Amino acid sequence: MRKQLIYIALFFISANTFSQQNEDTTKKEESPVVTLKGQIVNFADKKPLVGAHLFNLNTVIGTISDDSGMFEMPTTANDTIYISYLGFQSIKLKITHDLLKGNELVIELHEKVEKMEEVVVKSHKLIGVLEIDTKNVPKDKYARIHINGLPQTYEVGRPRKKAYSSPLDALFRPIDFMYNLFGSKPKQLKKLKKLRNDDKLREMLEAKFNRELMMEYLDMDAQELNDLLNECNYSDYFIKTASDLQLIEAVLLCYENYKAIKKGSTVKPEDKKQ
């Protein structure tokens, strides 16, 4: 009996020690938030790049370099920072403990060979009065129509639909991939929604046209992203000319509509109970 009591006591002591060791290990693994400071410059002439965009892909926090190319951003070890500037090659910087020791970074960006052209897509407002709206409907097939009271815009004409060669090919449609991705990785969906809803991030994304953030969060390449938006009834012209913010809004709207179709209802469960 005495031996049994000793064994039980030793067991609880061992368990308590193991628990404390686990807690200590967890505390060590949790990296503190540190303000990363640095400067974005042109690799060729070392001049500062004003207005370079920096996104923390893990926490979905963004900032812009100031008139001296300087920036500050809260980060932790193992975060990935996406850095871009119009006309320059974008880079992804993996944050290590060494980078967070307090030294200011100097990040050099290389110029791209090709240049981006600015494209403006006009949106025409309709008021819902047939006699007036028929006069205001644009003749340009690439214009988009905005109807008062509805958040999204619509394109004139019918977008091209992709033809699938077999039922097996249709199983791997980008729209199904997106639906399953957001189901298995809901954090990716939350990150896209934060990009869309945060005022500062919205302002940054309105000036971006490289799709790299979307491809990162959707785990798609450029062609797969095009195919997805085509399936969501967006034309090639819109996909080519829309800002990153417009494409994020389009993808999220497409997901919500497709989810409603999959579930067979657009009514939320809490609404049904009322």
Side-chain angles (χ1 to χ4, degrees):
M1 182 69 181
R2 189 174 297 176
K3 286 184 179 181
Q4 289 179 340
L5 291 174
I6 292 172
Y7 289 145
I8 293 171
L10 288 173
F11 172 77
F12 281 110
I13 291 171
S14 301
N16 187 44
T17 304
F18 180 74
S19 177
Q20 288 178 347
Q21 287 176 346
N22 278 345
E23 288 178 6
D24 293 339
T25 304
T26 303
K27 289 177 181 177
K28 288 179 182 178
E29 290 177 353
E30 290 178 357
S31 301
V33 177
V34 179
T35 300
L36 184 70
K37 298 180 181 180
Q39 185 183 35
I40 311 296
V41 301
N42 185 340
F43 172 80
D45 55 18
K46 310 307 178 188
K47 290 183 178 179
L49 296 178
V50 182
H53 290 179
L54 297 96
F55 287 91
N56 188 321
L57 295 177
N58 298 75
T59 59
V60 197
I61 293 175
T63 190
I64 300 175
S65 60
D66 63 18
D67 294 340
S68 302
M70 303 298 296
F71 70 89
E72 292 185 4
M73 171 178 281
T75 57
T76 61
N78 298 319
D79 281 354
T80 300
I81 307 300
Y82 164 77
I83 305 162
S84 65
Y85 189 80
L86 186 62
F88 285 73
Q89 185 66 46
S90 303
I91 63 171
K92 287 193 289 187
L93 177 66
K94 188 74 172 180
I95 302 301
T96 63
H97 289 285
D98 290 335
L99 293 179
L100 298 176
K101 288 182 178 178
N103 299 324
E104 290 190 354
L105 304 178
V106 177
I107 301 172
E108 299 176 342
L109 298 184
H110 294 256
E111 286 191 69
K112 283 183 178 178
V113 177
E114 70 276 8
K115 293 183 179 179
M116 285 288 249
E117 295 181 2
E118 184 178 358
V119 181
V120 177
V121 180
K122 294 181 180 179
S123 177
H124 301 262
K125 290 189 177 181
L126 302 183
I127 62 174
V129 179
L130 182 60
E131 292 181 0
I132 299 175
D133 287 344
T134 51
K135 297 177 182 178
N136 292 332
V137 171
K139 300 295 189 291
D140 179 9
K141 66 178 180 178
Y142 296 129
R144 292 181 68 78
I145 296 174
H146 177 268
I147 301 175
N148 285 347
L150 297 179
Q152 66 268 33
T153 58
Y154 299 88
E155 292 185 73
V156 177
R158 293 181 179 178
R160 178 178 57 82
K161 294 242 181 183
K162 182 178 178 182
Y164 293 97
S165 57
S166 68
L168 182 62
D169 183 29
L171 287 175
F172 297 97
R173 294 187 304 163
I175 192 168
D176 284 317
F177 174 82
M178 175 192 67
Y179 180 78
N180 294 327
L181 172 70
F182 288 157
S184 61
K185 298 182 179 179
K187 286 184 179 180
Q188 301 300 83
L189 177 60
K190 290 180 180 178
K191 287 177 179 178
L192 273 185
K193 287 183 176 180
K194 186 174 180 180
L195 286 173
R196 178 194 63 184
N197 298 333
D198 187 281
D199 289 338
K200 184 176 181 180
L201 296 176
R202 284 179 63 87
E203 186 177 346
M204 294 171 69
L205 289 166
E206 280 179 336
K208 294 186 69 62
F209 295 86
N210 59 17
R211 322 308 193 211
E212 291 179 3
L213 277 175
M214 289 195 66
M215 290 189 289
E216 180 74 26
Y217 286 135
L218 290 173
D219 195 21
M220 289 182 171
D221 59 28
Q223 185 56 52
E224 289 169 334
L225 182 57
N226 275 25
D227 291 342
L228 167 63
L229 289 163
N230 279 151
E231 284 193 68
C232 296
N233 291 335
Y234 289 95
S235 69
D236 290 333
Y237 184 84
F238 170 76
I239 297 167
K240 180 181 178 181
T241 59
S243 68
D244 284 8
L245 176 61
Q246 289 174 310
L247 286 193
I248 287 173
E249 290 175 335
V251 166
L252 289 174
L253 178 63
C254 175
Y255 169 71
E256 293 298 331
N257 290 339
Y258 191 65
K259 183 175 70 171
I261 293 171
K262 280 280 192 181
K263 293 186 175 181
S265 173
T266 58
V267 180
K268 294 181 180 179
E270 56 266 25
D271 296 333
K272 291 180 179 179
K273 294 177 182 179
Q274 295 177 352

